[in-house]
Amino acid sequence: MNSYPAELLVQLAPVMFVAGLDLPSAPSMSPPSTPQSPGQTRSPPPAPTKIQDHFASLIVRLRDALQSQHKVAIWAPERTRAFQMILVGKDVRFPPRKLVPPEDLAYASAHSPLSPLTPSSPLYPDGLIAPIWIRKHTQLLPSVFVLFLRLFEAPAIHARSPLDPPDPEHERDKTEEERRRDNDLSAEVAARKKTTNERGIKLTVVLLATRRMLDDPSLDSRLTFIRRQSGLDSRAALFVLSPVSTSELNDFARSLQDALYEPALEYYTSHSKRVRRKRNRHSQSVSSYNPPALVSMGVANTRPLRPEGWTVRYEYKMACFAEFRGEDEVALKHYQDAYATLMIMFGSTAILPPRTKRWAEAKVLADAINVKVTKLYLYNSEHSLALSHHNSHMRRFADFSRGWGIGEETFEYWSWMARQHRVLAELLEQGSNSSLTFPTNSPPSLTAGVTSAGTPVELDAVRAFGLNPSHALQHPGHYYYMAARCTEARRERFLANEVCLLSPNIEPSIISHPKEAISQGTSAAPGYANEKKVDHLSLILELYTKSYEVFKKHSSTTSQGRLTLWIAYRIAHTYYESEKFDVAVRFFERIAKTYRREKWKHMLRPLLSTWYACAQKLSDVELMATLLVEMIGYAQDVNESRTLQDDLLAVLKSSVPVSQGKPLIVDLKESDPLLDTMLVFWVPEVRVGEEAGFQLSLSTPTNIDLSTLPIDSVTITFSDGYCPVVLRHSPPTDGQVADRAVRLVKIGKVVPEDEDEELEEICTDLRWRPGERLVVSGSISSEAPGLLTVVGITVVLAQNGWTIEMPHEPCVSHEISTLVPRWLTSLQPIRFLQLGRDDCSSVVVRHRPHELAVSLSHQAPALLDEEYPIAIDITNVDERHLDVVIDVLLQPTDVDQAAQYIVFDDQRSSGLIKGIRLGTIAPGVSATKTLYLVGSGAPGDRMLDISIQSTSVQPESTSEGDEDAEPRSSSSLSEHATIDSCEKLQTIVIPTSGALAVTYDVAYRRSKDPMPALADLSTVEEDFWDDSYGGIAVVTTRMECLAPCGLVVESLKLHRQDNSLAKVLDCSSDENSDDMFPDEYLPGDEFCNVSRISLGPREEQVLGEEKITGPGNYEVVWRRMLPDGGRGRESTTWFTLPTLMIPQDELIALLDAPSFARLHVPTTIYLTVRNRHSSRSANITVTLDLDPSDAFVVAGLRNGRLPILLPGSEEKLSWNLIPIECGHVKIPRIKVMNVRRATLPSQGVGVPNTEDDVEGEAVKVVDVRADRNTARVQNADDGTVAIPQQDGSSTILVLP
């Protein structure tokens, strides 16, 4: 941006003049002391130099604090209340508004010294705007004037004693001196106030005082006096500052700016209004302008400024004042209006004749306005608008330049284009260092071009996804690069112009740009003298270097990195043009590495040419030879390859290598080779000791001729352990010349490497014309397994003491050639057989597979909870001794609630067991191992993967102690490629079923035990057990044999696990288990067990309707019945007692009657009424219905009411019955009712009820002899299934 005046580009901010902070040149003298009254002794005042030092330090720190508030910069997007502060002297003068003083009668018609209407103005008569106008408002005219002055303070006089009264005479003298000093200060302020009022500038005074003065009661009155006397405003016009810390000074500076910001805005607003009034007075239609006669280019013009020029001038001024105010939107609007009018002026050569002073000034102004508009767009993150305006500016002036005769054929055009790109780059770079972020410009997803139905969208819609790179704002590196490219074009035009000027009779055909040379050959361009002073190459290097640095900073992708390398190449080329060949070579070396690796051949070719030219200038013969060899591989046609060979031969013949006796190695592994190579093996794999035939083809593409290249030998290197094959050049005989398209060289079998044996050389013709092929045929074998291939092909050049080695890869070719694996089958005629394999460049040598017979024996299906045996029998039918290792993998099952694991030797795992060693198995010998599979939880299929690895060992390497050796797994064996190992995989699926099925029948019986009393304290004891509510659950467990093979049940045992809610009372297996077991059970056979469980739930469990966990587990020990009559391994199955339910009775009546009675003998029956409700009492009535047909004589209550039954209480009744008939006789019907007194809805609470008692709800009467509430459970965790209970009348068997 140094090409433009800084005033036209910087970000404008309100200007504040700060006066009165001049640095003292020498220590100040102490102020005169006040007179003392006679007879009074004063203590000496403090040293005045110390006070002055305090204020000198304050002034220094004030200057630093104020100047650090705002830095003048081009990029400043922050809108804070910050001023551009300028330190001035107290006597500073403002530039005159007009040339004549205000008291002159001609003042009203006079103009500004910078106006185009003033003859002495630099803009007279038709200038637009000058940088000095902006300099006037940024350096000579402030919007706010801050004046720092020292407030007078009388020296402090300390009394000899605190009890001494103040001296009236001293106080009076002190007051008079302060008033006199305040009058002088007010006069000074008033004088400055007069000058600032003339220009509408806000004046603010800051008085410097000590901290002691701030506590003086007279300070307020003195400040009021000074303000009135000097005419200062009442708002933000007077401040007092004492020596404070640096942080407090920064706070003071910020508060001072906040207080004066509004007056500053008013100052610039008044200027804008004044300029707007002038614009309205001068506004005229441009179309009404009658253009004068055309003026020759370069002729001075004295006509006055046109209305369009006044419009530009006023719009630009209003934009600047809006920028001073921080109104970016308003400033942008005025800048755009000024720019649009400027474009109108440039469109007419009559208004702005080209190549004149005003034309040049207008171009600079247009460029500066373009920078301003672009910057304001970027402030608002409007990247597209900013770039669009900048591109439009360049496009318009490019069109204008063609009309002015400054087109693309001139260096002036490219100089201006480079300047525009550089200005944008520098602007973006400054912004990126602050807060500017660049758009990502990421392309949309490719799937966006397809609708949800899978059909392609419209072509126009697809094109909308694209983005024109010139319309996308990029980082500064791109624009630095464009500026460098334009500067290169500028240099080319300048050199062409210089050639034509120096040699006017030169032939245009030998000039690189004849059109430009002819157009400029007659006379030098106007800027030719200045252009001769420009160091173009240094400028190009500077621009490319900046671009390279920015690209490296933003190189987040591979494409950005490649562009960075291209810029580095342009830097190297510029160094070459600057004749700094050593620096260029260093650049070429780094760049070429990446170009070779990524195969950027089209970019590598010119790089190698320039690099070779640098090597020629440096006389580096080895580098020249290296580059020429590489360039031959990149030759485009036969002529180019021959030319490069001639140059290489010339270098080899005319020079000697620097390092004598050492070959020069040219690595072509990442470059295009000299020869196309193709290695083909006839078969993909062979056994140990078996020969594998191969053919190696060495050929040249059709565009390269190597017939004159001095190739001395070709060395073919095989895998480790084999002697290399050397082909030595021998000129062909006359009989061989006839057929050169395909030549065959048979090398026989490749022998293993032997140190004592000399390398055998095979002579053949090593010259290739375009498209010729040399086929090397042979065979190779190996006594150990591995991979056989050709690892390298070295082409050796020998000439005049030079030895150049060029390593080649076995299968590489040029782009023009096609690598197709083909086998030469015949020379007469030439025939090739194409092989259909993907990889023919290597052969795999393997051992013979091992012969193992594997047998897996087991009795399906497996049973749950059983250690299911699987016998693995392995027989060695090979003639080698084999060391066998077994790995077993138990695959996860998809069955829910299924568990499983395997047991192999002493290892147990739910997944993988590795390294079970069977030892060394001799030929014809078998070995057996048993694997156990254990499944539980749920039936289903279990899958096993069995890996049998075998390794060939020597018979003498095995001994009896090998069984205890460390087992070797497949992973450890695979580490050694020479080990003769083999692996066999077996997968088996084993169905698993249950051995036993269990069913629970649960019968709930109410307890006959009395309920504890409500106040019984024993209920709170920890070991208290009450089953009066829970009763007894009788669990009948039926177990059925499901195993198809049959089971031998050895024992059945209940393991008690009593808890706080249930406990096992007794179990049938406790008594007769030894009598029942062991016993054999076939499929479908059943056996059962009965247990009684006492239930004692608490009140909270009853209210929560919780379930009771079964208090025990059944343990069943069984064995499988084998087909041969034997028995399998002992297995154990566990069954958990079922979950029990809590009875939900509230009111219940239990009838307890004997099962039989004697005729005419009294017998007693009992009725117990229980209230198990948690909160409700019961009013119970009992009625005995005695029918004449009943066979009993009853003594007892016939109809009555029981006492109120509180919650948790019971009442017991009894009757005596005398049977009068024999047989099963029905017991008289007993009716129990819960009677509750009802209240009518119309009656209120407490109103007597005149209605009769409402018959309540019946209470169930249960005969305890037949009390069975039965439920069936299939499994312990399943829900219960209720079994209906037979309801019948209670009877008694009466015996005679």
Side-chain angles (χ1 to χ4, degrees), residues 1007-1022:
S1007 175
K1008 294 189 292 183
D1009 296 337
M1011 298 178 62
L1014 294 178
D1016 190 354
L1017 297 179
S1018 63
T1019 59
V1020 299
E1021 295 180 1
E1022 186 176 355

Side-chain angles (χ1 to χ4, degrees), residues 1050-1053 1068-1078:
E1050 296 187 347
S1051 66
L1052 172 65
K1053 185 178 180 180
S1068 61
S1069 62
D1070 296 342
E1071 300 177 357
N1072 57 2
S1073 177
D1074 295 337
D1075 299 336
M1076 292 181 61
F1077 307 108

Side-chain angles (χ1 to χ4, degrees), residues 792-813:
I793 302 168
T794 304
V795 180
V796 180
L797 303 182
Q799 181 76 30
N800 193 26
W802 284 84
T803 302
I804 303 176
E805 295 184 359
M806 295 165 288
H808 284 62
E809 295 290 334
C811 292
V812 293
S813 67

Side-chain angles (χ1 to χ4, degrees), residues 888-1151:
V888 181
L889 173 64
L890 177 58
Q891 295 287 355
T893 179
D894 297 333
V895 181
D896 295 337
Q897 300 179 352
Q900 57 185 4
Y901 63 90
I902 52 177
V903 178
F904 209 173
D905 282 356
D906 57 346
Q907 300 186 40
R908 171 177 169 172
S909 174
S910 60
L912 176 65
I913 293 180
K914 297 185 65 176
I916 302 300
R917 188 163 181 262
L918 272 69
T920 301
I921 304 176
V925 179
S926 299
T928 303
K929 283 282 186 179
T930 302
L931 169 70
Y932 294 96
L933 168 66
V934 181
S936 60
D941 292 340
R942 267 64 170 178
M943 181 180 294
L944 289 169
D945 290 336
I946 301 176
S947 171
I948 302 170
Q949 300 117 29
S950 57
T951 304
S952 176
V953 295
Q954 297 297 328
E956 60 272 10
S957 65
T958 61
S959 62
E960 296 180 357
D962 286 348
E963 297 293 335
D964 300 330
E966 183 70 21
R968 291 176 293 175
S969 63
S970 59
S971 60
S972 62
L973 294 176
S974 61
E975 295 176 359
H976 307 282
T978 60
I979 295 179
D980 183 5
S981 60
C982 186
E983 182 178 14
K984 183 173 290 187
L985 299 176
Q986 293 266 351
T987 300
I988 59 173
V989 178
I990 300 176
T992 306
S993 62
L996 296 168
V998 64
T999 303
Y1000 300 99
D1001 291 334
V1002 185
Y1004 297 93
R1005 300 182 63 182
R1006 296 173 177 85
S1007 175
K1008 294 189 292 183
D1009 296 337
M1011 298 178 62
L1014 294 178
D1016 190 354
L1017 297 179
S1018 63
T1019 59
V1020 299
E1021 295 180 1
E1022 186 176 355
D1023 57 350
F1024 176 76
W1025 187 265
D1026 176 27
D1027 61 355
S1028 60
Y1029 180 76
I1032 296 174
V1034 180
V1035 180
T1036 302
T1037 305
R1038 292 189 299 108
M1039 300 181 186
E1040 180 184 357
C1041 176
L1042 300 179
C1045 58
L1047 301 177
V1048 176
V1049 179
E1050 296 187 347
S1051 66
L1052 172 65
K1053 185 178 180 180
L1054 176 63
H1055 294 269
R1056 290 172 170 79
Q1057 296 177 354
D1058 296 342
N1059 53 51
S1060 61
L1061 302 180
K1063 63 181 180 180
V1064 179
L1065 298 178
D1066 49 40
C1067 179
S1068 61
S1069 62
D1070 296 342
E1071 300 177 357
N1072 57 2
S1073 177
D1074 295 337
D1075 299 336
M1076 292 181 61
F1077 307 108
D1079 198 3
E1080 296 182 356
Y1081 292 86
L1082 297 178
D1085 292 348
E1086 296 182 353
F1087 59 94
C1088 68
N1089 185 270
V1090 181
S1091 59
R1092 292 193 313 124
I1093 302 173
S1094 175
L1095 306 179
R1098 301 287 183 179
E1099 182 180 358
E1100 56 271 13
Q1101 281 88 23
V1102 175
L1103 296 178
E1105 298 182 0
E1106 297 182 6
K1107 294 183 179 182
I1108 301 174
T1109 304
N1113 296 322
Y1114 280 108
E1115 178 190 12
V1116 183
V1117 180
W1118 54 273
R1119 295 176 184 269
R1120 171 195 287 264
M1121 297 173 60
L1122 301 177
D1124 57 359
R1127 298 180 180 181
R1129 296 168 66 96
E1130 184 181 281
S1131 302
T1132 302
T1133 301
W1134 293 85
F1135 299 107
T1136 305
L1137 287 174
T1139 302
L1140 305 176
M1141 297 183 298
I1142 301 175
Q1144 300 296 323
D1145 293 334
E1146 294 184 355
L1147 278 173
I1148 193 68
L1150 303 178
L1151 177 62

Side-chain angles (χ1 to χ4, degrees), residues 726-749:
V726 179
L727 303 179
R728 184 70 63 181
H729 174 65
S730 174
T733 61
D734 297 337
Q736 296 175 338
V737 175
D739 186 11
R740 298 180 58 93
V742 176
R743 302 191 299 274
L744 177 64
V745 178
K746 296 182 180 181
I747 63 174
K749 183 179 179 180

Side-chain angles (χ1 to χ4, degrees), residues 678 680 695 773 820-824 832-835:
M678 169 57 67
V680 177
Q695 287 185 354
R773 182 186 303 268
V820 178
R822 298 188 301 172
W823 187 272
L824 178 62
F832 287 92
L833 176 63
Q834 185 171 344
L835 302 182

Side-chain angles (χ1 to χ4, degrees), residues 218-513:
S218 64
L219 178 62
D220 291 340
S221 60
R222 293 181 63 186
L223 295 179
T224 304
F225 173 78
I226 293 173
R227 178 183 290 110
R228 291 177 178 175
Q229 285 295 106
S230 60
L232 290 175
D233 301 335
S234 60
R235 179 169 172 260
L238 186 59
F239 296 90
V240 179
L241 179 65
S242 62
V244 292
S245 64
T246 303
S247 61
E248 291 175 314
L249 282 180
N250 291 327
D251 295 339
F252 167 75
R254 285 190 290 269
S255 63
L256 181 66
Q257 293 177 93
D258 291 341
L260 299 179
Y261 194 74
E262 294 297 332
L265 296 185
E266 295 175 0
Y267 171 81
Y268 292 114
T269 301
S270 64
H271 273 288
S272 294
K273 293 179 179 179
R274 175 179 57 83
V275 173
R276 184 178 292 108
R277 288 193 298 268
K278 288 185 176 181
R279 182 197 64 179
N280 295 337
R281 287 198 304 265
H282 286 83
S283 62
Q284 296 180 7
S285 175
V286 179
S287 60
S288 63
Y289 167 67
N290 295 322
L294 295 178
V295 183
S296 301
M297 296 175 58
V299 178
N301 187 8
T302 58
R303 62 175 181 270
L305 185 63
R306 295 294 307 158
E308 295 85 353
W310 288 107
T311 301
V312 172
R313 180 179 175 84
Y314 292 140
E315 291 291 346
Y316 185 82
K317 286 186 176 182
M318 286 190 289
C320 292
F321 290 135
E323 196 173 345
F324 275 119
R325 299 193 303 269
E327 299 175 357
D328 291 345
E329 292 79 6
V330 179
L332 177 61
K333 175 64 171 57
H334 288 301
Y335 279 133
Q336 289 175 332
D337 293 343
Y339 184 83
T341 309
L342 262 179
M343 295 301 102
I344 297 175
M345 297 178 66
F346 277 113
S348 173
T349 56
I351 299 178
L352 277 177
R355 298 190 182 278
T356 59
K357 178 183 178 182
R358 300 307 180 197
W359 172 80
E361 292 175 353
K363 279 192 67 177
V364 172
L365 181 62
D367 293 344
I369 295 177
N370 170 63
V371 174
K372 289 278 189 176
V373 173
T374 303
K375 179 174 64 174
L376 292 176
Y377 275 133
L378 292 176
Y379 282 174
N380 294 330
S381 298
E382 296 174 341
H383 307 97
S384 299
L385 294 177
L387 185 61
S388 175
H389 188 276
H390 183 77
N391 291 339
S392 175
H393 174 70
M394 297 180 64
R395 188 168 53 253
R396 287 182 178 180
F397 272 86
D399 295 338
F400 288 151
S401 298
R402 297 183 186 97
W404 298 331
I406 313 175
E408 290 89 340
E409 67 277 2
T410 63
F411 59 80
E412 295 170 312
Y413 173 86
W414 293 107
S415 172
W416 183 86
M417 294 293 286
R419 189 182 308 122
Q420 301 311 304
H421 286 297
R422 179 166 186 165
V423 165
L424 179 60
E426 292 177 349
L427 180 65
L428 294 177
E429 188 174 21
Q430 293 186 18
S432 63
N433 295 332
S434 176
S435 59
L436 179 64
T437 58
F438 301 105
T440 57
N441 300 321
S442 299
S445 176
L446 296 178
T447 57
V450 181
T451 62
S452 58
T455 58
V457 298
E458 295 286 341
L459 182 59
D460 294 340
V462 175
R463 289 174 177 170
F465 296 138
L467 179 65
N468 190 336
S470 62
H471 297 167
L473 183 67
Q474 304 180 55
H475 61 73
H478 290 270
Y479 305 104
Y480 277 127
Y481 172 76
M482 292 303 300
R485 296 294 289 174
C486 293
T487 307
E488 288 180 340
R490 169 186 178 184
R491 178 174 177 267
E492 292 177 3
R493 279 24 175 214
F494 170 74
L495 292 179
N497 184 57
E498 193 173 37
V499 169
C500 292
L501 290 177
L502 295 177
S503 303
N505 298 324
I506 195 171
E507 289 294 332
S509 59
I510 66 174
I511 303 178
S512 59
H513 300 279

